[in-house]
């Protein structure tokens, strides 16, 4: 429930501050999922039927030309989203998320920062505040894409070879499971390394904070640090 609430809150930032980008993003996901199934099943089946002389050469050329145009337009649209429109929209939402995080941190009492669990959680949130929005979109987009692919494949059960459908459906489910497993592993890795990174940052600060450097030079006992 907490994860769903966090997910809804992050998506709410996109709805409020970048609604057009959110719509275009999911539109790209829907079209991309449809084209993926179309290119891997419908188009291949059409080509085989054309080789079997079940379709006239003129109709086959027109069909393939339309498919080429559609895929090219989608490729251009995806590149425009990735290189032109997405960066500015993501930056806008990132600014809002980080601002909210800093405002909450400013209102938290100082004693909580001395609590190891709280501080580790805060550092983890700070570390991911830069890309939590885009990662959330990518995760929900992957889920939507897999669902659309499954629905499209299931609807073709009576139009193509059953074995091919089962094979593709199996590969989609495996990909979905792998995506979830990777996300969990990345989260566990981040939690496990946050404490080590905090120690590394502390050791780095020892060598550039003036007061500490002065004490080290006065004591001339640096063995314990190394």
């Amino acid at each position: 429930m907490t994860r769903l609430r966090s997910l809804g809150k992050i998506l709410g930032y996109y709805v409020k501050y970048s609604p057009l980008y959110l719509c275009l993003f999911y539109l790209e996901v829907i079209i991309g999922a449809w084209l993926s199934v179309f290119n891997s099943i419908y188009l291949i089946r059409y080509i085989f039927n054309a080789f079997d002389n079940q379709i006239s050469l003129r109709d086959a050329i027109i069909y393939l030309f339309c498919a080429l145009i559609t895929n090219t337009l989608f490729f251009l649209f995806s590149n425009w989203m990735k290189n032109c429109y997405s960066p500015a929209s993501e930056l806008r939402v990132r600014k809002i998320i980080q601002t909210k995080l800093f405002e909450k941190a400013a209102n938290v009492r100082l004693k909580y920062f001395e609590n190891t669990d709280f501080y580790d959680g805060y550092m983890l949130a700070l570390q991911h505040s830069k890309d939590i929005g885009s990662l959330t979109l990518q995760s929900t987009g992957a889920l939507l894409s897999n669902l659309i692919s499954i629905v499209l494949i299931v609807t073709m059960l009576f139009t193509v070879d059953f074995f091919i459908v089962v094979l593709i459906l199996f590969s989609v489910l495996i990909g979905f499971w792998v995506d979830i497993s990777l996300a969990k592993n990345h989260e566990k890795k981040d939690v496990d390394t946050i404490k080590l990174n905090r120690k590394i940052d502390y050791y780095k600060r020892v060598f550039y904070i003036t007061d500490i450097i002065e004490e080290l030079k006065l004591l001339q006992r640096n063995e314990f640090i190394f």
Side-chain angles (χ1 to χ4, degrees), residues 19-219:
L20 180 59
Y21 170 62
L22 188 66
C23 294
L24 290 176
F25 174 82
Y26 286 120
L27 177 64
E28 180 187 5
V29 169
I30 293 172
I31 296 175
W34 180 85
L35 278 178
S36 177
V37 175
F38 171 80
N39 292 332
S40 60
I41 298 179
Y42 273 114
L43 191 59
I44 293 177
R45 185 183 63 170
Y46 192 89
I47 292 173
F48 278 119
N49 289 337
F51 279 122
D52 290 338
N53 297 322
Q54 298 179 16
I55 300 171
S56 67
L57 179 61
R58 176 179 173 275
D59 291 341
I61 292 176
I62 293 175
Y63 189 88
L64 293 175
F65 179 75
C66 291
L68 177 63
I69 292 297
T70 302
N71 280 276
T72 301
L73 290 175
F74 177 73
F75 174 78
L76 294 175
F77 172 67
S78 296
N79 273 274
W80 173 77
M81 281 285 293
K82 179 181 179 181
N83 299 318
C84 300
Y85 194 67
S86 294
S89 300
E90 291 289 355
L91 189 62
R92 189 182 308 116
V93 175
R94 183 192 306 171
K95 174 186 175 183
I96 298 299
I97 293 175
Q98 290 185 324
T99 301
K100 296 287 184 184
L101 179 62
F102 295 151
E103 288 175 351
K104 288 195 176 222
N107 294 324
V108 173
R109 297 178 64 180
L110 186 60
K111 68 175 184 178
Y112 289 106
F113 284 92
E114 298 175 356
N115 182 288
T116 304
D117 293 334
F118 172 82
Y119 189 73
D120 288 342
Y122 172 70
M123 291 300 296
L124 188 63
L126 197 63
Q127 178 179 320
H128 289 293
S129 63
K130 181 177 69 172
D131 51 11
I132 186 63
S134 59
L135 289 176
T136 300
L137 275 189
Q138 295 299 326
S139 299
T140 55
L143 176 61
L144 179 61
S145 177
N146 286 327
L147 289 176
I148 292 173
S149 298
I150 291 174
V151 170
L152 290 175
I153 292 171
V154 169
T155 58
M156 292 186 293
L157 282 173
F158 299 101
T159 60
V160 297
D161 186 80
F162 181 77
F163 174 75
I164 296 177
V165 174
V166 172
L167 185 63
I168 296 174
L169 184 61
F170 177 74
S171 67
V172 170
L173 291 175
I174 289 294
F176 181 62
W177 176 79
V178 168
D179 288 340
I180 294 178
S181 299
L182 286 176
K184 289 182 178 179
N185 287 334
H186 282 307
E187 182 180 2
K188 184 178 183 302
K189 180 205 70 173
D190 291 337
V191 172
D192 291 341
T193 57
I194 192 69
K195 294 181 180 180
L196 296 176
N197 288 333
R198 182 155 52 85
K199 289 182 179 180
I200 292 172
D201 291 338
Y202 169 77
Y203 293 136
K204 288 179 181 178
R205 289 196 299 272
V206 164
F207 290 99
Y208 66 72
I209 295 178
T210 306
D211 293 340
I212 298 180
I213 291 176
E214 290 178 355
E215 292 182 7
L216 290 176
K217 288 185 175 296
L218 288 173
L219 292 174

